[in-house]
Amino acid sequence: MPNTVKFNADYPVITRSNELYERALKVQSPVTQTLAKGPGQWTKGVAPKYIQKAKGSHVWDVDGNEYIDYNAAIGPISLGYAYPKVDEAIKKQLDEGITFSLMSPLEVEFSELIQEVIPNAERVKISKTGADVCSAAIRVARAFTGRETVFCCGYHGWHDWYIGVTSRNSGIPEAIQNMTYTFDYNNIESIKEALDDTVAALILEPFIFEAPKPGFLKELAEVCKANGTLLIFDEMWTGFRIAIGGAQEYFDVKPDLAVYSKACANGMPIAILTGRADVMDLFNSEVFSYTTFGGETLSLVASIATINELRDKKVPQYLNEKGALLKDGYNQIAVEFGVDQYTKCVGYNCRSMVTFTPEAGNGLEVKAFVQQEMIKRGVLWAGFHNMCYSHSDEDIAYTLSAYRDVMPLLKEAIESKNVKSYLKGEVLEAVFRKVSDYNIKPKKATV
């Protein structure tokens, strides 16, 4: 679609957004259903708070301001907003019904497709959210191994077994908190030292932004197998983006279990647990994990249509090519303006992140400054380039021109040693997630 965003004379008017927010404060706790979409991650006073509509790679807030979007609805949008083939499949199925009193044949068709594209999918389980399938994977791993301890690395949802390792652990019994431990990504030796016969499962995002060291994932799989620990890949972000079959296809490492959501249905709510038949078969009788809406048909047809389109259009290759233009372009502009000692874009091309060094100052203040300036220029910016198939060359060229415009302003703000004075809105809030600090459990002392 044509790129109609433009360099604005001033920051967007967000009157309607602010009115809705004030109403929300009186009736919702919290006001957002996902932290990354909430006002704490967007500089209050400048950023919009509510999106009214979206099409392709663009979104419009409730005040009518248009932006190029690089957030992908925090992951689910892989093809683009209101993508015709997916929407047509949903509309057609709507005439047939949404959810039934017995199973839908779509559950079989969908699971067969998943088995085709995901290497470890000897069996498939369908649910609704990423947290659901992560927790189902942990439960079945504990049942299969007869062990209780879990090692994790990354973000794995809101359930007790995981969120106890974060700063938002209120309400979780201490006994449950003491059964999960975090580990340092890419540090295979620390994992080897800590694994013992109490560890049921090791779950990790195959990569977040840092690339795995050569052989790390393969050795991790070998170490887990030797210890009788199930290896679980959390592919919420990597699945269907880095490759159709996810990181396990891309790195040629087959985990015992893997979980997916986000990109596979282009915005519709669905989540998948795949894995070894002997483990997954425990769900038939011994392990309980069910949901009324697991067979909801609109999400099933949306996912079938999305996966076929991702495969037919070679979308992962497209995301890699177009994402490289943004990531490399940002870094070139940073060098050009002499701020490469302060900022760099890192990660895989399909999903990269703008980072700031300690020398740049307070990271949240610096990020808030870049956010306000990119929003002024019509880019809904949260520091990420979550690529989708609808991002056009024109979108990318425009975004790079906005970066080129903002970079000298960033340099001035940083070198003033008072970035906060340049902010028109509030400083961003810190996210609670613990994804790098680790408290890995030592091996039990031997007598």
Side-chain angles (χ1 to χ4, degrees):
M1 63 179 295
N3 187 349
T4 57
V5 299
K6 59 183 182 296
F7 285 80
N8 301 310
D10 208 340
Y11 302 94
V13 173
I14 52 172
T15 305
R16 179 67 175 147
S17 263
N18 288 335
E19 289 173 351
L20 281 165
Y21 180 60
E22 291 304 316
R23 288 167 56 188
L25 289 172
K26 298 174 183 177
V27 293
Q28 291 179 258
S29 288
V31 297
T32 181
Q33 316 316 310
T34 304
L35 273 178
K37 295 183 182 182
Q41 297 305 299
W42 299 88
T43 179
K44 296 174 187 174
V46 174
K49 297 179 180 68
Y50 295 91
I51 297 295
Q52 183 68 45
K53 65 177 183 178
K55 178 68 176 176
S57 58
H58 291 216
V59 297
W60 288 259
D61 69 20
V62 291
D63 289 277
N65 302 296
E66 182 180 357
Y67 310 87
I68 302 172
D69 178 65
Y70 288 105
N71 301 287
I74 322 303
I77 303 302
S78 50
L79 295 173
Y81 293 103
Y83 194 83
K85 280 197 175 180
V86 178
D87 287 2
E88 288 162 11
I90 294 170
K91 292 171 185 175
K92 183 178 178 181
Q93 179 59 38
L94 192 57
D95 290 335
E96 298 287 325
I98 300 170
T99 191
F100 308 133
S101 298
L102 295 175
M103 298 177 291
S104 164
L106 289 167
E107 297 171 49
V108 181
E109 181 183 343
F110 172 76
S111 298
E112 289 173 339
L113 177 60
I114 293 301
Q115 194 171 72
E116 281 182 34
V117 300
I118 295 179
N120 84 329
E122 294 177 14
R123 294 289 187 273
V124 177
K125 178 173 172 36
I126 309 165
S127 193
K128 276 289 152 204
T129 73
D132 288 348
V133 288
C134 280
S135 294
I138 295 301
R139 182 176 294 176
V140 78
R142 282 172 164 163
F144 184 82
T145 62
R147 303 172 179 182
E148 294 184 343
T149 304
V150 174
F151 287 179
C152 65
C153 179
Y155 172 70
H156 308 294
W158 67 273
H159 291 289
D160 286 7
W161 71 268
Y162 167 72
I163 214 69
V165 305
T166 76
S167 57
R168 293 283 289 270
N169 59 5
S170 182
I172 300 170
E174 187 175 354
I176 293 175
Q177 295 183 39
N178 291 338
M179 285 189 277
T180 302
Y181 298 84
T182 57
F183 64 89
D184 192 21
Y185 186 72
N186 265 334
N187 189 344
I188 193 68
E189 293 305 318
S190 70
I191 297 166
K192 288 179 180 179
E193 291 172 7
L195 278 174
D196 60 25
D197 61 7
T198 71
V199 184
L202 187 151
I203 182 170
L204 81 162
E205 295 183 69
F207 65 81
I208 302 176
F209 294 102
E210 180 185 356
K213 292 178 180 176
F216 171 71
L217 293 174
K218 284 186 180 292
E219 189 170 3
L220 187 61
E222 292 166 0
V223 167
C224 286
K225 183 177 181 179
N227 193 63
T229 296
L230 296 190
L231 175 62
I232 306 169
F233 277 4
D234 180 341
E235 298 230 41
M236 299 302 158
W237 277 104
T238 55
F240 304 95
R241 273 196 165 85
I242 193 69
I244 300 297
Q248 60 174 289
E249 176 190 327
Y250 186 82
F251 295 108
D252 190 27
V253 178
K254 190 183 292 187
D256 298 294
L257 300 170
V259 289
Y260 299 82
S261 189
K262 294 191 185 286
C264 69
N266 200 49
M268 290 295 284
I270 196 167
I272 314 158
L273 168 58
T274 65
R276 284 168 42 184
D278 59 340
V279 179
M280 297 285 288
D281 284 349
L282 292 184
F283 285 116
N284 290 329
S285 57
E286 298 179 37
V287 176
F288 194 90
S289 175
Y290 293 93
T291 175
T292 299
F293 297 106
E296 177 263 307
T297 62
L298 302 186
S299 295
L300 289 169
V301 296
S303 192
I304 291 168
T306 298
I307 293 170
N308 283 326
E309 193 76 352
L310 291 170
R311 186 164 56 174
D312 294 345
K313 297 291 178 62
K314 295 181 171 54
V315 171
Q317 293 93 314
Y318 182 91
L319 303 184
N320 179 58
E321 292 168 8
K322 302 306 179 185
L325 296 176
L326 267 179
K327 186 178 79 172
D328 296 343
Y330 181 92
N331 289 331
Q332 289 167 6
I333 293 169
V335 171
E336 179 182 333
F337 285 95
V339 293
D340 51 306
Q341 74 271 37
Y342 300 130
T343 184
K344 186 178 182 180
C345 190
V346 302
Y348 284 82
N349 297 333
C350 61
R351 186 196 180 210
S352 60
M353 175 178 67
V354 172
T355 63
F356 303 100
T357 64
E359 291 75 18
N362 182 302
L364 292 174
E365 293 177 2
V366 177
K367 183 177 178 181
F369 175 74
V370 176
Q371 185 180 93
Q372 77 176 23
E373 295 305 315
M374 293 299 286
I375 284 174
K376 177 180 180 180
R377 289 157 179 81
V379 180
L380 193 64
W381 190 92
F384 305 101
H385 303 132
N386 297 332
M387 303 303 296
C388 77
Y389 189 59
S390 293
H391 281 126
S392 65
D393 288 337
E394 190 177 11
D395 287 332
I396 293 166
Y398 179 88
T399 304
L400 291 175
S401 70
Y403 279 138
R404 187 175 297 278
D405 197 53
V406 169
M407 207 66 77
L409 303 178
L410 174 63
K411 183 177 183 179
E412 177 186 327
I414 290 173
E415 294 184 350
S416 75
K417 305 296 184 183
N418 190 9
V419 174
K420 194 172 184 178
S421 69
Y422 285 74
L423 298 182
K424 309 296 182 183
E426 296 180 25
V427 179
L428 306 181
E429 296 174 9
V431 179
F432 76 91
R433 298 174 186 170
K434 293 183 178 179
V435 295
S436 58
D437 294 337
Y438 68 101
N439 63 332
I440 196 161
K441 166 183 171 292
K443 275 190 175 179
K444 292 184 296 184
T446 55
V447 179

